[in-house]
Amino acid sequence: MKELLDSVVEEFRDIWRNGRVATYIPELARACPDAVGLAVCDLGSGLYTAGDWNYPFTMQSVSKIVSLALALTVCGEDAVFSSVGMDPLADPFNSIMRLEMDAPHRPHNPLINSGAIVVLSLLPWTESSERVTAVSDLAARMAGKPSVSMNSAVYISEKETSDRNRALAWFLKSVGNLHGDIEDILDAYFRQCSLETNCADLAVMGATLAADGRNPITEEQVLTPRVARVVRTIMATCGMYDGSGEFAVSAGIPAKSGVGGGIAAAVPGMMGIGTCGPALDSRGNSVAGLAMMKKLSEVLNLRIY
Ligand code: GLN
């Protein structure tokens, strides 16, 4: 496995040139565009890493699978899916268009920005710090680490340039679909997006989902099998935003991307995969990550469809 991962990283070392690091959150523009990391957490034989596997980046939208798992656990499936849908969307992750056009103005799924903001609002804590502590504790247990830290520079940068996310939240409030203190909910959203990770962590998080909620490294049952299954399913249908259909055909595995450059994938009963590559395509998905996921899926026959 280690040799395979090394050869995949080698093959796609330069593909980052086809993408660009995110700049709409200014701090993200400081990422190394040419970092390429790959990790697999096999449910039987453990963790394998290659390339820049310990290059640190922020979870960004990968954190949305954690907050979704938390809300499903704490609030239940009915409460979550009466507030957000479970359908893919062919628009960018921060688009407001469909939210306004489609009554009852409910976010289409929990993995786009509006959906993740609603999911956070459902959590039964009133302070943003309490919500984020619960999300980061769960992220740590899924990754098999004592704790997960937050990148303050990215948090401040995101908060200062958050007009679009604010617009989504205030629109939701105006139609009666977001309850609670908006500033507080948004603050929790910016903080969870700024949680720091690397592709090895993402591989273990993916493996926990792949193993029906049981972390294969710590052997802790972190999520119920049902919650793990629902999260995997939403990843498969909505995890790569408006690139979800194309990714389902090309790689065929449940995965979630973030504009920090990470992708976490969960291959049911087999493994978790984490990739790192801060240069993104026009949809906000990591160019190197997409290529490496697709390659591993082909070579290891991981396709679930
Ligand atoms: N923090 C980012 C945002 O709100 C998350 C988006 C992403 O990773 N696709 O825009």
Side-chain angles (χ1 to χ4, degrees):
M1 179 68 86
K2 167 69 178 151
E3 276 164 33
L4 171 64
L5 301 193
D6 286 339
S7 74
V8 172
V9 166
E10 223 25 67
E11 183 175 347
F12 297 108
R13 252 286 159 223
D14 290 324
I15 201 166
W16 62 272
R17 292 179 198 281
N18 298 340
R20 300 179 61 186
V21 298
T23 52
Y24 73 99
I25 299 171
E27 194 63 25
L28 294 183
R30 295 160 59 100
C32 293
D34 58 348
V36 181
L38 176 60
V40 161
C41 181
D42 182 89
L43 299 192
S45 57
L47 189 63
Y48 302 87
T49 55
D52 305 311
W53 66 270
N54 56 359
Y55 178 81
F57 51 90
T58 49
M59 279 190 203
Q60 298 298 331
S61 287
V62 181
S63 67
K64 294 171 184 170
I65 57 178
V66 183
S67 46
L68 173 62
L70 181 65
L72 289 169
T73 304
V74 175
C75 313
E77 244 172 87
D78 291 347
V80 171
F81 291 117
S82 60
S83 298
V84 296
M86 39 176 111
D87 292 315
L89 189 64
D91 299 326
F93 56 80
N94 57 3
S95 175
I96 199 163
M97 185 174 65
R98 287 268 150 221
L99 193 59
E100 187 178 9
M101 285 173 72
D102 297 347
H105 310 298
R106 202 180 59 161
H108 283 72
N109 68 67
L111 301 184
I112 51 174
N113 290 12
S114 55
I117 291 168
V118 168
V119 163
L120 270 178
S121 77
L122 300 175
L123 298 176
W125 295 284
T126 46
E127 299 282 320
S128 94
S129 58
E130 292 174 302
R131 292 181 213 268
V132 176
T133 301
V135 174
S136 71
D137 281 354
L138 182 58
R141 287 165 65 209
M142 290 173 71
K145 294 171 51 160
S147 62
V148 173
S149 58
M150 193 191 78
N151 183 319
S152 308
V154 172
Y155 159 65
I156 291 165
S157 183
E158 175 148 1
K159 193 163 179 157
E160 282 172 358
T161 55
S162 54
D163 296 342
R164 179 68 73 102
N165 286 323
R166 285 176 188 283
L168 292 169
W170 286 101
F171 176 77
L172 285 165
K173 184 173 167 67
S174 77
V175 292
N177 281 347
L178 188 62
H179 306 286
D181 182 331
I182 299 273
E183 287 303 325
D184 204 78
I185 295 163
L186 282 167
D187 189 69
Y189 175 76
F190 304 140
R191 285 176 194 267
Q192 81 158 50
C193 288
S194 307
L195 292 175
E196 209 147 38
T197 193
N198 61 39
C199 68
D201 291 346
L202 297 187
V204 182
M205 289 167 71
T208 300
L209 292 169
D212 282 345
R214 183 174 180 273
N215 183 316
I217 305 288
T218 62
E219 301 185 356
E220 182 194 1
Q221 188 72 41
V222 180
L223 302 168
T224 65
R226 172 75 194 178
V227 165
R229 184 178 183 162
V230 172
V231 173
R232 287 199 313 257
T233 308
I234 301 285
M235 287 164 76
T237 52
C238 312
M240 308 299 277
Y241 309 117
D242 40 334
S244 297
E246 200 175 301
F247 188 75
V249 172
S250 64
I253 47 181
K256 180 75 206 86
S257 61
V259 292
I263 303 178
V267 189
M270 290 184 75
M271 65 179 65
I273 308 172
T275 58
C276 157
L280 311 174
D281 69 8
S282 59
R283 291 158 165 158
N285 294 326
S286 165
V287 169
L290 289 172
M292 293 191 289
M293 290 282 180
K294 186 177 166 197
K295 180 77 182 188
L296 275 188
S297 175
E298 271 164 24
V299 175
L300 299 173
N301 198 15
L302 303 178
R303 197 170 278 290
I304 65 165
Y305 302 107

